[in-house]
Amino acid sequence: ASQGEQRSMALAMRLGAYELVRNSMGTPPVLLLDDVFSELDSGRVDGVVELLPAGQVLVTTARQDDVPMKGTTFQVAEGLVTEVSAGV
């Protein structure tokens, strides 16, 4: 499998685990995704964004342009966290 396919499979497993926890606990957990878009083509990125649940989703990336999502954006630099933009 290509890097994008491997990342897609890992993400599918992560989203499945999210649903299991949500169903068993009755409340949605916080979903943490580290650099999830880095090796995906634009079609896969769009598909991932559509699959993300409503609620608290934290996505990290080395490049802000890699995140095609709405929400509050924070930047971490030299140990400081600053808000870059407020979410919609």
Side-chain angles (χ1 to χ4, degrees):
S2 70
Q3 291 291 330
E5 291 169 333
Q6 290 176 30
R7 184 154 308 244
S8 295
M9 287 185 275
L11 182 59
M13 291 173 35
R14 171 70 52 97
L15 292 173
Y18 172 90
E19 287 299 319
L20 284 172
V21 170
R22 185 180 65 83
N23 290 336
S24 67
M25 300 297 290
T27 185
V30 175
L31 180 60
L32 305 173
L33 300 173
D34 183 30
D35 203 20
V36 70
F37 301 119
S38 66
E39 295 171 354
L40 301 180
D41 59 39
S42 61
R44 289 185 193 274
V45 167
D46 293 341
V48 167
V49 171
E50 287 181 26
L51 290 174
L52 292 178
Q56 292 184 333
V57 178
L58 302 177
V59 177
T60 66
T61 183
R63 295 182 16 189
Q64 184 176 350
D65 295 342
D66 288 346
V67 183
M69 302 167 53
K70 295 180 180 178
T72 304
T73 302
F74 296 91
Q75 180 177 359
V76 179
E78 298 179 16
L80 299 172
V81 179
T82 55
E83 185 174 327
V84 176
S85 66
V88 176

